[in-house]
Amino acid sequence: MDKQLQRDLTNWLRSQSKLAKRWLMLSVGLGFLSGLLLVGQAALLAHILHQLIIEHTDKYQLVDSFIGLFVIVGLRAACSWGREIFGYRCGEQIRLHIRQLILEKLQQLGPAYIKGKPAGVWASLVLEQVEEMQDFFSRYIPQMSIAVLVPLVILFAVFPLNWAAGLIFLITAPLVPLFMALVGLGAADANRRNFKALQRLSGHFYDRLRGLPTLRLFNRAEAEAENLHAASHVLRKRTMEVLRMAFLSSAVLEFFSAISVAIVAVYFGFAFIGELNFGHYGVPISLFTGLFVLILAPEFYQPLRDLGTFYHAKAQAIGAAESIVEFLNTEADGMDKGCANLPSPETITIEASELEVLSPEGQVLAGPLSFTLAPHEQVALVGPSGAGKTSLLNALLGFLPYRGSLKINGVELRSLDASQWRQAISWVGQNPLLLHGTVRDNIALGNPLATDEHILQVAENAYAKEFIDRLELGFAHQVGDRSGGLSVGQAQRIAVARAMLQSGSFWLLDEPTASLDANSEHLVLDSLKTATAGQSTLMVSHRLDQLASMDRVMVLENGKLVQNGHFDQIRQHGLLADMLAHTDKRDLDA
């Protein structure tokens, strides 16, 4: 990974930690307090041993020291517990914020962009990669401060007793972070490769799992199993690289910490037998001094060793942040964030002039198109597969960028407040999306403030009430993800009721009866006919027998508008005539 990129990602991660400054300060404060208590604990323990061994003090005279020692140990345990709690809260708050940023960005880019990558990639980005940042914020960031504060406290305690021991601490302390940095140079790259492999495997596995019936139908299950095995082998290899880095880092830190403590022990050993006579301030080195410093010696390096251990969490966070920051910085060409209000939202007029619909990468998907949708006009949009119908709808919804002009009530779409514009749209697609919750919850998505009477009315108008009443719990019936527990026709009628509840002035219908049986299709069409009466409507339809009831028909072919007029005017020639002839022939063959 480029060093500048690594620095930028580290700065971005640290900037996110400001969101949980309170929890961070509490965690660091408890770590500092634990360091102060540590010095007191070492002093009491050294004092007890000195009194018992050198002064031959009766142990009953040291009861207060023993009680103080137990109290300090209990307080340190409480500090450690508090650090874990506050550190977790710090990481939790930041993770929620980052996850919210990702979801808001996904909402801004829209479904057209999301469909460009496998669902497993987004799941990995929102779940696994955000979770991998927990230890960085809860452990590494607080430990950076504690690794400075606690050794300073110990140095201030040791230097007044023995300057030689303090000097050994001061000289050997930089060795730990130095070798930690050297070992950790490749850790971020290893973690980045691991996350890339995890993304590929997640996307591959999730998509194959959803398409398993199709794979079995075409006898491709074994071939895809081999592909999954290859992808899992790559992930296993990348994971082992990360583990090797982690174990190597820990081994190096333990080695240099042990050497440093050994130097301090050797110094005091030779000082006690009279071979070394320096480091003290004219007073012979006592057992208290030696024990006090030796007890503190491992604890002096412990915060630095912990920082080295958590350095792996930093490498993990940087590897995860690369994809997240790259995604958050994604900007689709031409998708500006407008803020203009929609004038006269009660009626909708759409004017397109030399309109070219673009993909998020800037490729032309449809156009140039020029047309007008007048207030209260109902227009059908037809054409063969790949003609650009869905691309045009996504552009109208603000999910795809465009060139040229696309005005809503005289205001350029890219200048409008996207949320306000979408609030004016009642949309019904060919694949109704119902979320986990009750039937009432799914209908109320169109207007969360709607009353029960209003919800009951739209359910009746959409012919949904007739089957809802047959459900055991009625409107409280639980719906699973992806409309689980309901038929496609029932789910579509709930989607129509939801669109009615929104009361948009512009109805956008994307083949709303494509997957329905004859009875459900009849009910949905009747409800839509009532709901769209007098409203501006643009409907993509595969049913050519429905076109006669529309005010106008627009025919697309290869992204171009090839026919535009009333059904009776254009049915005798051009592409529409060919489509009608093909439909009639297919009906005769059936």
Side-chain angles (χ1 to χ4, degrees):
M1 182 185 293
D2 180 71
K3 290 184 178 179
Q4 182 59 44
L5 175 60
Q6 191 165 342
R7 283 194 293 269
D8 292 341
L9 292 174
T10 302
N11 292 334
W12 181 82
L13 287 168
R14 288 176 178 170
S15 67
Q16 303 304 310
S17 65
K18 297 177 182 178
L19 300 169
K21 189 175 182 180
R22 181 185 62 168
W23 298 115
L24 188 61
M25 294 301 294
L26 286 171
S27 179
V28 172
L30 286 179
F32 179 69
L33 178 60
S34 181
L36 294 175
L37 292 171
L38 173 64
V39 174
Q41 177 182 325
L44 279 175
L45 190 57
H47 169 71
I48 291 172
L49 292 174
H50 178 83
Q51 291 296 319
L52 291 174
I53 298 172
I54 303 299
E55 303 296 336
H56 301 290
T57 304
D58 186 79
K59 56 182 177 293
Y60 293 106
Q61 297 179 14
L62 300 173
V63 172
D64 292 343
S65 298
F66 279 110
I67 293 175
L69 182 62
F70 286 123
V71 169
I72 288 178
V73 170
L75 290 175
R76 288 194 64 205
C79 287
S80 297
W81 176 79
R83 278 187 58 196
E84 289 293 324
I85 296 297
F86 295 143
Y88 177 80
R89 294 301 179 194
C90 173
E92 180 186 43
Q93 186 171 341
I94 298 171
R95 282 187 293 113
L96 289 174
H97 172 72
I98 294 175
R99 190 168 282 127
Q100 185 63 35
L101 290 178
I102 295 174
L103 294 176
E104 289 176 356
K105 191 66 178 183
L106 285 171
Q107 182 180 9
Q108 176 190 341
L109 293 174
Y113 182 89
I114 295 172
K115 288 182 179 179
K117 293 183 179 181
V121 172
W122 301 122
S124 176
L125 187 71
V126 176
L127 299 176
E128 286 99 339
Q129 292 188 234
V130 175
E131 288 297 321
E132 291 295 338
M133 296 181 175
Q134 171 68 23
D135 283 349
F136 175 80
F137 294 114
S138 65
R139 298 178 183 272
Y140 181 79
I141 292 292
Q143 192 63 34
M144 287 181 66
S145 299
I146 294 171
V148 174
L149 295 174
V150 172
L152 282 177
V153 169
I154 294 176
L155 284 175
F156 278 117
V158 169
F159 260 108
L161 295 176
N162 190 287
W163 61 263
L167 195 60
I168 294 173
F169 287 161
L170 200 59
I171 293 173
T172 57
L175 291 176
V176 176
L178 174 63
F179 284 94
M180 175 184 70
L182 291 176
V183 173
L185 284 176
D189 278 335
N191 277 279
R192 179 176 57 84
R193 291 192 294 269
N194 186 50
F195 282 123
K196 293 292 184 184
L198 178 61
Q199 274 190 336
R200 286 193 294 270
L201 180 60
S202 297
H204 194 86
F205 178 75
Y206 183 75
D207 289 341
R208 270 48 180 186
L209 187 63
R210 293 178 61 187
L212 189 57
T214 305
L215 292 174
R216 286 177 174 173
L217 181 64
F218 290 94
N219 198 28
R220 295 291 300 171
E222 292 185 3
E224 289 302 325
E226 293 179 1
N227 292 335
L228 282 173
H229 177 74
S232 64
H233 176 71
V234 172
L235 177 62
R236 182 166 55 249
K237 182 179 178 181
R238 302 301 183 210
T239 304
M240 293 308 298
E241 287 181 8
V242 174
L243 290 175
R244 279 197 297 270
M245 286 289 181
F247 287 129
L248 178 61
S249 175
S250 298
V252 169
L253 295 179
E254 293 293 336
F255 176 74
F256 283 100
S257 298
I259 287 181
S260 302
V261 174
I263 292 174
V264 176
V266 168
Y267 162 73
F268 278 107
F270 278 98
F272 283 136
I273 63 175
E275 296 295 329
L276 295 178
N277 190 26
F278 64 88
H280 52 81
Y281 298 96
V283 179
I285 300 176
S286 66
L287 180 63
F288 170 82
T289 302
L291 289 174
F292 178 69
V293 175
L294 285 173
I295 291 171
L296 288 179
E299 302 297 338
F300 177 82
Y301 300 102
Q302 189 61 46
L304 297 171
R305 291 159 62 190
D306 289 341
L307 182 63
T309 303
F310 300 150
Y311 188 84
H312 179 66
K314 176 188 176 183
Q316 272 187 322
I318 291 176
E322 183 183 19
S323 298
I324 293 175
V325 172
E326 181 183 355
F327 170 69
L328 293 178
N329 291 334
T330 300
E331 290 291 346
D333 295 335
M335 291 183 66
D336 301 328
K337 298 178 68 175
C339 57
N341 291 325
L342 177 66
S344 304
E346 299 81 13
T347 58
I348 297 297
T349 302
I350 299 177
E351 300 171 276
S353 177
E354 298 299 316
L355 171 67
E356 288 185 329
V357 182
L358 309 176
S359 70
E361 294 77 24
Q363 297 177 342
V364 177
L365 300 177
L369 302 169
S370 296
F371 62 88
T372 300
L373 181 64
H376 314 299
E377 187 179 21
Q378 297 192 340
V379 178
L381 185 65
V382 299
S385 298
K389 303 185 296 295
T390 301
S391 298
L392 178 57
L393 294 190
N394 280 320
L396 286 170
L397 288 165
F399 294 145
L400 282 178
Y402 66 89
R403 286 198 297 259
S405 176
L406 180 58
K407 294 183 178 181
I408 311 297
N409 289 358
V411 180
E412 199 65 44
L413 176 58
R414 62 168 63 94
S415 301
L416 284 174
D417 183 326
S419 60
Q420 187 184 18
W421 163 232
R422 291 168 188 158
Q423 190 60 38
I425 301 174
S426 288
W427 178 82
V428 180
Q430 54 183 300
N431 296 311
L433 177 60
L434 301 187
L435 306 178
H436 182 77
T438 65
V439 170
R440 186 196 184 284
D441 293 338
N442 276 276
I443 296 176
L445 284 175
N447 183 1
L449 301 179
T451 63
D452 289 339
E453 291 77 14
H454 199 180
I455 291 175
L456 184 65
Q457 183 62 47
V458 296
E460 188 171 351
N461 292 341
Y463 297 100
K465 188 175 180 299
E466 63 177 38
F467 77 83
I468 294 176
D469 288 340
R470 294 198 299 268
L471 298 174
E472 184 177 353
L473 299 177
F475 283 88
H477 177 78
Q478 286 290 328
V479 179
D481 291 331
R482 299 185 176 275
S483 311
L486 297 177
S487 69
V488 177
Q490 292 172 338
Q492 190 69 303
R493 279 181 268 175
I494 289 179
V496 172
R498 180 167 59 197
M500 289 179 176
L501 193 64
Q502 187 169 343
S503 301
S505 51
F506 175 49
W507 280 75
L508 200 55
L509 310 176
D510 184 10
E511 301 192 11
T513 61
S515 304
L516 304 183
D517 57 62
N519 181 57
S520 296
E521 180 182 25
H522 175 72
L523 294 174
V524 169
L525 286 176
D526 280 352
S527 61
L528 287 175
K529 183 177 180 181
T530 302
T532 59
Q535 302 286 355
S536 299
T537 305
L538 180 62
M539 180 176 72
V540 175
S541 179
H542 68 290
R543 291 293 303 270
L544 302 183
D545 55 354
Q546 301 170 0
L547 303 183
S549 61
M550 306 299 289
D551 297 328
R552 187 155 48 92
V553 179
M554 296 195 303
V555 184
L556 291 183
E557 183 180 24
N558 296 326
K560 303 292 193 301
L561 184 60
V562 294
Q563 288 181 281
N564 187 4
H566 192 273
F567 177 71
D568 292 333
Q569 297 174 343
I570 62 174
R571 63 178 300 180
Q572 302 297 333
H573 59 278
L575 179 60
L576 182 58
D578 294 339
M579 293 173 65
L580 288 169
H582 179 73
T583 301
D584 293 339
K585 183 177 182 301
R586 186 176 58 190
D587 292 341
L588 288 173
D589 292 340

